[in-house]
Amino acid sequence: MGASTQISYPGPGDATTKARTPYAGPGDTAAGAHTPYTGSGGAVASGRIPYTDSDHTALSTRTPYTDSDHAAGARVPYPFSSGAELLALTRSTGLSIARLMLANEAASRPEAEVRAGLLGIWQVMRDCVAAGLDAEGVLPGSLRVRRRAAGVARQLRASGHRDELAMEWLTVYAMAVNEQNAAGGRVVTAPTNGAAGIIPAVLHYSGAQGDDVVRFLLTAGAIGLLFKENASISGAEVGCQGEVGSACAMAAAGLAEVLGGTPEQVENAAEIGMEHNLGLTCDPVGGLVQIPCIERNGMAAVKAVTAARMALRGDGRHHVSLDKVIKTMKETGADMKDKYKETARGGLAVNVIEC
């Protein structure tokens, strides 16, 4: 397998993985990068803030690429507001989704700064996974949930570097991030904190380095923009399908991109990722982002890989478009009872007794 398909099962704490994605150059540092940041519900604001100013750093899912000006006053060369428009642009220009996104980002800041910022975000993700795989004990809150990622990682390392363990590593990467989130650690909002483990886990799984990391995150960002513009990424608005479902679709698209997928296959991967999260409720036990959220991120990471692999086995033609599944997600969220939308008044939240 090539570099972009290498499975990174040794674990982020190992020296081989630590050196997997070096910064691109002297200016490629986390501090001072132009980074959007989110409040609750995924609302995004832009600001030139150092990564160290906040415990939560956001993946670049800024305001969608419409004809309106960027905050910096520049107009993007490739505006789009739907999956169909995005694919039409790739066909007319011959550019990949990642290249289109890079050109749009470069309309408001130097391309080198965009790349450096994305690699800085990846470094924060990697640090979060490593911290989660090292931390043990009990998570804060009344549920007294025990951290599991570190213990599972030890078991996997003891089992050796076998390909059949790749999916277990994928799952534990995601759980490590969400255990860090539950403990108030530093995570990347991707696209929300409750779904923060999926993209880092799939990106670790991909083995991507350097420019492939940039391509992965740009592609994932394009899909995130479509969900945010045309539906929602807020569990309080549409249930967990908007958080974990969107993250699953974003990760599937990013993986399909770095594995050599066409724009049509990338769009198909995103569609599969969301289609099979439709109707997912947000019912956190005790109102804490722990049960079922931590395990759910692990499951969605596996689903994202499966979605990408399924899409890559096809030619990009499929019956349900990404736009249709986004519309369906929005309508499903509107029909969903409020007790399944981050209120802890329904589902598991009322059927699991707090001890």
Side-chain angles (χ1 to χ4, degrees):
M1 291 185 291
S4 64
T5 60
Q6 184 179 0
I7 296 169
S8 54
Y9 49 68
D14 293 0
T16 54
T17 311
K18 283 288 187 181
R20 192 173 289 278
T21 311
Y23 283 138
D28 188 8
T29 58
H34 179 84
T35 307
Y37 51 93
T38 69
S40 62
V44 177
S46 281
R48 228 174 243 285
I49 55 172
Y51 285 116
T52 52
D53 277 0
S54 172
D55 287 333
H56 296 285
T57 304
L59 178 59
S60 185
T61 52
R62 292 193 298 171
T63 303
Y65 292 124
T66 62
D67 285 327
S68 60
D69 289 346
H70 270 242
R75 298 177 75 87
V76 299
Y78 304 114
F80 63 89
S81 59
S82 69
E85 290 178 3
L86 180 57
L87 287 179
L89 283 170
T90 65
R91 293 176 187 129
S92 65
T93 63
L95 297 175
S96 67
I97 292 173
R99 290 298 306 178
L100 286 173
M101 285 288 287
L102 183 60
N104 284 348
E105 289 289 333
S108 60
R109 53 193 167 179
E111 183 176 309
E113 185 179 330
V114 176
R115 292 180 181 276
L118 289 171
L119 289 173
I121 286 173
W122 173 223
Q123 185 62 51
V124 176
M125 288 180 172
R126 292 171 64 202
D127 290 345
C128 181
V129 171
L133 293 185
D134 189 52
E136 302 194 61
V138 176
L139 293 171
S142 59
L143 298 177
R144 304 287 296 168
V145 172
R146 178 174 52 88
R147 284 180 179 261
R148 288 182 288 164
V152 173
R154 275 197 306 275
Q155 294 176 34
L156 293 175
R157 289 190 184 101
S159 299
H161 298 166
R162 303 201 309 269
D163 286 351
E164 61 264 30
L165 300 177
M167 285 300 185
E168 292 188 64
W169 274 113
L170 173 67
T171 303
V172 81
Y173 291 152
M175 291 178 63
V177 172
N178 285 85
E179 287 179 358
Q180 285 298 98
N181 179 64
R186 191 183 191 207
V187 306
V188 176
T189 304
T192 66
N193 290 349
I198 299 163
I199 288 174
V202 176
L203 192 42
H204 268 98
Y205 169 90
S206 75
Q209 301 181 51
D211 190 60
D212 281 347
V213 171
V214 172
R215 290 168 53 216
F216 186 111
L217 293 178
L218 286 169
T219 304
I223 302 304
L225 290 171
L226 294 177
F227 280 107
K228 190 172 187 300
E229 169 71 356
N230 299 310
S232 175
I233 58 171
S234 169
E237 290 183 333
V238 294
C240 198
Q241 57 174 359
E243 298 201 19
V244 163
S246 295
C248 181
M250 293 166 68
L255 181 60
E257 164 67 23
V258 300
L259 293 181
T262 65
E264 289 78 13
Q265 289 172 319
V266 169
E267 183 261 2
N268 189 195
E271 183 280 321
I272 294 171
M274 172 51 76
E275 181 179 339
H276 302 288
N277 279 293
L278 288 173
L280 193 63
T281 59
C282 182
D283 50 355
V285 177
L288 300 171
V289 190
Q290 297 177 6
I291 302 173
C293 317
I294 295 170
E295 287 182 356
R296 183 169 289 176
N297 273 251
M299 296 300 295
V302 173
K303 193 178 293 186
V305 171
T306 302
R309 296 289 185 182
M310 288 178 68
L312 291 172
R313 291 296 182 185
D315 59 7
R317 291 179 294 182
H318 50 108
H319 288 284
V320 182
S321 70
L322 178 59
D323 290 332
K324 287 178 181 176
V325 84
I326 291 174
K327 182 175 184 289
T328 302
M329 187 265 275
K330 182 178 181 180
E331 292 173 350
T332 302
D335 292 339
M336 191 180 290
K337 292 183 178 180
D338 286 344
K339 68 180 182 178
Y340 298 118
K341 298 179 184 178
E342 213 173 81
T343 61
R345 299 201 308 262
L348 285 176
V350 298
N351 287 315
V352 175
I353 299 173
E354 295 183 47
C355 298

